[in-house]
């Protein structure tokens, strides 16, 4: 008798995959961040400040606003209206008073009843050095 041939069936290897763990990192929507202001204007301020510093008074070339915290660390800004010394106008490009011959400006008639603080030439340098935007 002849031996019966042995038939071998090829085996297929099925690869096993292990799922990669995923980590979800929560994100804060940027709209939430943008809507939270760092500062808020004081309720009784005439000019509504957005941040501390010096801001030009768009209607009057010889005046500007100082926006500063009511109490340090309060994040509440009060606005104080200042007038440049006689012979000076406020420059919105450098945020300082400059000699009026160096500034081109058209003033509007003052119709507001706002307390205005008068700067002197002697006060200017130390004032603007102190209140430059940080």
């Amino acid at each position: 008798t002849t031996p019966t041939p042995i038939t071998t069936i090829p085996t297929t290897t099925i690869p096993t995959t292990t799922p990669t763990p995923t980590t979800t990192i929560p994100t804060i929507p940027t709209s939430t961040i943008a809507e939270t202001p760092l500062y808020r204007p004081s309720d009784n301020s005439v000019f509504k400040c957005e941040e501390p510093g010096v801001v030009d008074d768009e209607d009057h070339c010889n005046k500007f606003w100082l926006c500063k915290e009511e109490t340090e660390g309060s994040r509440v800004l009060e606005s104080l209206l200042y007038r440049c010394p006689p012979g000076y106008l406020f420059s919105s490009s450098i945020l300082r008073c400059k000699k009026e011959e160096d500034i081109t400006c058209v003033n509007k008639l003052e119709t507001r009843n706002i307390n205005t603080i008068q700067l002197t030439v002697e006060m200017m340098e130390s004032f603007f050095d102190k209140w430059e935007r940080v």
Side-chain angles (χ1 to χ4, degrees):
T1 64
T2 27
T4 328
I6 301 176
T7 312
T8 60
I9 304 173
T11 59
T12 307
T13 308
I14 302 173
T16 59
T17 57
T18 307
T20 306
T22 57
T23 305
T24 306
I25 300 171
T27 57
I28 300 171
T30 54
S31 61
T32 304
I33 295 170
E35 292 170 8
T36 308
L38 295 175
Y39 297 95
R40 72 174 182 81
S42 171
D43 293 335
N44 58 352
S45 285
V46 175
F47 179 77
K48 299 302 178 192
C49 298
E50 295 179 4
E51 62 184 355
V54 176
V55 181
D56 69 319
D57 180 26
E58 294 177 357
D59 293 334
H60 302 91
C61 303
N62 65 337
K63 295 180 183 174
F64 60 93
W65 294 99
L66 171 63
C67 296
K68 67 181 200 80
E69 285 184 286
E70 288 183 333
T71 306
E72 190 173 336
S74 69
R75 315 300 281 169
V76 177
L77 299 176
E78 67 178 322
S79 59
L80 302 170
L81 185 61
Y82 279 81
R83 182 182 305 117
C84 292
Y88 287 79
L89 297 175
F90 188 76
S91 169
S92 58
S93 62
I94 63 168
L95 299 176
R96 289 182 175 251
C97 297
K98 284 187 72 172
K99 290 274 190 186
E100 61 187 359
E101 58 266 13
D102 298 333
I103 305 285
T104 303
C105 179
V106 178
N107 267 319
K108 294 181 181 175
L109 182 63
E110 178 63 83
T111 58
R112 304 170 296 187
N113 185 20
I114 302 172
N115 184 35
T116 304
I117 302 164
Q118 178 67 58
L119 276 183
T120 64
V121 173
E122 295 77 25
M123 294 168 55
M124 277 194 327
E125 192 68 33
S126 63
F127 176 88
F128 289 109
D129 286 346
K130 178 178 180 177
W131 295 109
E132 276 185 314
R133 290 183 196 250
V134 184

